[in-house]
Structure formats: structure tokens, C-alpha cells
Amino acid sequence: MSKIIYPINYKRLLDMRQTEQGIKLIKEFFQQNLSTELRLRRVTAPLFVLKGLGINDDLNGVERPVSFPIKDLGDARAEVVHSLAKWKRLTLAEYQIERGYGVYTDMNAIRADEELDNLHSLYVDQWDWEAVIAREDRTLAFLRNVVDRIYAAIRRTEYLTCETYPQLKPFLPEKIHFIHAEELLRMYPDKTPKEREDAICEAYGAVFIIGIGSKLSNGEKHDGRAPDYDDWSTVAENGLKGLNGDILIWYPVLGHSIELSSMGIRVDKESLLRQLKIEGQEEREQLYFHQQLLQDRLPLSIGGGIGQSRLCMVLLHKAHVGEIQASIWPDDMREECRKLGMPLI
């Protein structure tokens, strides 16, 4: 059986009708707040892109994209997107978005290699967003400010949800705590990255872990990141590498930490070349996206993705993402979840 986190004494607080209404409430309210907070306008996004242009997100570099031939293009292959990290930056250039403004979109993806559990599904839906910045904005202080504003939007959405459904009680802390992945390693040297996330999130409630993708002092990465969108190798103000990170919260329903967002300041020409070299992927310099960046045709930017189903799951106090979204699950998982009082859609 795929991995399941077993909630203790779990009881659904909302029925199916309330759950569907709650999903609608959260999605409509949060995306409007995100748009206002970061000055983003909505754009329509692709479900798939052409293979070989370097536009699709490589995630950790090992996940296989779902692909298919296109008859009218001589069987050229398309790939279902993993995310829109690089497509959004091309869109900023195409729409000539000004500094301080950006775009967001409803991103739908299929990740066929995902290990299915309470938090991971074959189907991924998130708000993908990207904003234009200036050279002087490429700082840790700027990143932290944006994280604070996103977290504020999440807490406002939690407040509205709990006001609408009084049986739900707010649990997110007022402030989000910032820590670098290297500092986290020093705090918990004998724990795995996931165990370190659980420990720090249980201590603070909400955490932004900085520097995802670069190797730490133990020679390992906290987590993987593709080398061609987030800047994880630049030395920041605190002397540690990384201008990116993850927003995580402690989720009492499951007794585990949950990642809600992956985001960061994007690579410039120098960090792109450096990270491609670190990862031994210099051949990617010749791809369409990478050439656009290297030839100064793309703006500097910051961006990320915020999980829609995960946010709804957390704010509606559900124990499995399958209670929020319709997807495919193993029969034994469906039966086990039914017994645990968390029937999957």
C-alpha cells in the first residue's frame, strides 16, 4: 500500500456539501487576496508545452512528464506541465509587465511519478505566480517581505473560513519564522530533512526554510530544485546560499509539517550558468528558454506556486487531499481511508 499518515481520532467537521462550498470560498477569496497583495493579474495558462524548449519545470530532475504526439505538428511531442515556473517568466516578457507587477494563473498538472499519500496526488492544482523585480530587489530582505505578505493572505483566508464554519478553529500563528536550511541542519544534525521540517514547524507553527537546492555542510541537499528557475546558489546577506525557499506549516490534524508553497527569486544569467555547471547540465544553455534569459530577453523576477488543494485541505481541517480533489487512488488506500473516516472523492 502507498504511504498513509494515520490521523489520531479524526472526525470530519464538514459534510460533502459544506466541503464543496468551502473549497469555492477559499479559492475565490485567496486568489483575490494574492492578486491584490502582490499586484498580480490573472492570465490563462497552458496544460501542456512542446518538448525540447526547456520550458517545462524539471522539478527535482528525475520526474517523467506525461507526453503525447501532436498529429498536426508531424507528431512533435507535447509534455503536460509539471509547473509553470519558466513559462510565467516568458509571459512577463511577452506582456511587458512593469516592475512591481506580475501575473498569476490556475495551474493544472499531472505528475505520474508522484508517491501517493495524504498530501501527494497524481493531479496537482496550484496558483502559479510571477512578478517583475529590479536588480536591487534580488535580496533576502525582499524575499522575506514577499513571504510575509503571502502568509498574511493565507491567515486572512483562514479567518474567513473559520468565521463561515464556526466548528473550525484557527491554528496558524500570527507570524512566520524564517530559517536557513543550513541553520536547520545545525539544530538537528541527526535528523533527516523531513524530520527537521517536522521539528521546526512543530516549534514555530509556520516556517519559511531558505536555501532549497544547494548542498549543505553535510554534502547533501535539504531538497532538490532544478537549476534553471530558483536562485539557490547566490550568497545572501547572512553569508548562506540561497534566495529561495518553502513555506511550511505544522498541521495538527496529521501531526506533521505540510509544505504549502515553493517560491523564490529567479536565476539571473550568472546564477543560471553557475547552477547548470554545478548540476552538470551545461547542455541546457542551448534550449529556447535558457537562450532567452542569456540574451537579456527576460525580466528579473520572483515567483512560486501555492497548492490549491493543499490549502483547502488545511483550512477545512481534512486529513487527506483526496477529500478535496478528484483523482485516482489505489483501491487499498480508498478502503483504508474509508475505514479511517476520510472517504476519498
Side-chain angles (χ1 to χ4, degrees):
M1 181 187 293
S2 298
K3 297 177 291 184
I4 294 181
I5 302 171
Y6 292 87
I8 300 174
N9 300 323
Y10 176 63
K11 181 181 179 181
R12 287 186 299 162
L13 300 178
L14 303 177
D15 60 27
M16 287 295 294
R17 179 181 61 82
Q18 292 171 318
T19 298
E20 293 292 353
Q21 291 173 339
I23 292 170
K24 181 175 183 291
L25 174 75
I26 291 168
K27 288 190 174 184
E28 290 180 348
F29 183 79
F30 178 77
Q31 70 179 5
Q32 185 59 52
N33 268 260
L34 181 70
S35 172
T36 302
E37 192 70 56
L38 300 183
R39 295 192 289 188
L40 310 173
R41 76 190 209 201
R42 189 189 182 282
V43 295
T44 301
L47 176 60
F48 40 80
V49 294
L50 281 174
K51 180 180 180 180
L53 297 180
I55 298 176
N56 203 359
D57 182 358
D58 295 304
L59 300 177
N60 290 322
V62 296
E63 293 87 350
R64 300 169 300 168
V66 175
S67 65
F68 58 91
I70 304 173
K71 180 180 177 181
D72 275 3
L73 293 182
D75 280 346
R77 296 198 71 83
E79 294 179 344
V80 176
V81 297
H82 278 145
S83 84
L84 299 170
K86 290 176 279 189
W87 177 87
K88 292 175 297 181
R89 199 164 175 184
L90 292 167
T91 301
L92 292 179
E94 182 180 356
Y95 287 10
Q96 298 181 327
I97 303 294
E98 299 177 1
R99 174 192 175 184
Y101 294 85
V103 299
Y104 80 93
T105 188
D106 288 301
M107 191 282 297
N108 297 286
I110 300 173
R111 296 182 182 173
D113 288 338
E114 201 73 83
E115 293 187 16
L116 307 181
D117 57 25
N118 303 60
L119 307 177
H120 298 89
S121 170
L122 299 175
Y123 170 65
V124 178
D125 55 343
Q126 64 184 33
W127 291 284
D128 252 326
W129 64 274
E130 199 86 8
V132 177
I133 62 175
R135 172 67 60 179
E136 56 266 30
D137 297 326
R138 302 187 79 255
T139 66
L140 194 55
F142 184 87
L143 174 65
R144 289 176 58 135
N145 177 264
V146 174
V147 171
D148 280 333
R149 289 154 64 190
I150 293 173
Y151 184 67
I154 291 174
R155 289 193 68 242
R156 283 195 294 271
T157 309
E158 181 191 43
Y159 175 79
L160 174 66
T161 306
C162 293
E163 283 289 293
T164 305
Y165 303 103
Q167 61 268 49
L168 304 178
K169 304 303 179 184
F171 64 90
L172 294 176
E174 181 180 353
K175 301 292 184 182
I176 187 168
H177 179 71
F178 291 85
I179 189 168
H180 193 280
E182 178 63 34
E183 297 172 308
L184 193 57
L185 173 62
R186 295 170 188 168
M187 289 179 63
Y188 307 107
D190 299 326
K191 295 182 181 294
T192 67
K194 180 57 183 172
E195 290 170 343
R196 296 197 289 269
E197 290 178 355
D198 284 345
I200 196 69
C201 286
E202 186 173 16
Y204 288 96
V207 179
F208 185 76
I209 301 178
I210 304 164
I212 306 293
S214 60
K215 287 186 178 181
L216 306 177
S217 58
N218 64 355
E220 300 175 358
K221 300 177 180 181
H222 182 83
D223 199 0
R225 282 293 185 276
D228 46 14
Y229 55 99
D230 281 353
D231 186 341
W232 42 255
S233 63
T234 291
V235 177
E237 296 97 311
N238 59 5
L240 297 172
K241 292 181 180 179
L243 291 173
N244 72 331
D246 292 342
I247 296 176
L248 300 101
I249 57 114
W250 178 252
Y251 191 42
V253 172
L254 294 179
H256 283 266
S257 61
I258 293 184
E259 176 193 322
L260 294 181
S261 176
S262 172
M263 58 172 289
I265 291 172
R266 306 309 198 184
V267 290
D268 56 10
K269 289 192 297 184
E270 292 75 22
S271 54
L272 171 65
L273 294 173
R274 180 171 58 251
Q275 292 178 184
L276 289 175
K277 185 175 181 179
I278 290 172
E279 297 297 309
Q281 297 183 25
E282 292 95 330
E283 73 281 355
R284 295 185 68 82
E285 294 175 23
Q286 304 307 316
L287 297 175
Y288 173 76
F289 170 83
H290 303 70
Q291 281 296 303
Q292 294 293 106
L293 177 55
L294 293 173
Q295 294 175 23
D296 293 317
R297 295 175 180 171
L298 302 180
L300 298 173
S301 67
I302 183 173
I306 303 165
Q308 294 187 17
S309 290
R310 277 199 190 179
L311 184 63
C312 291
M313 171 187 166
V314 165
L315 297 187
L316 297 177
H317 297 203
K318 300 294 185 177
H320 197 293
V321 71
E323 297 180 83
I324 296 296
Q325 58 162 245
S327 185
I328 296 174
W329 308 97
D331 290 340
D332 55 355
M333 179 180 284
R334 282 190 175 276
E335 178 60 21
E336 189 71 12
C337 289
R338 184 189 65 78
K339 293 178 181 178
L340 293 169
M342 46 186 192
L344 309 184
I345 296 174

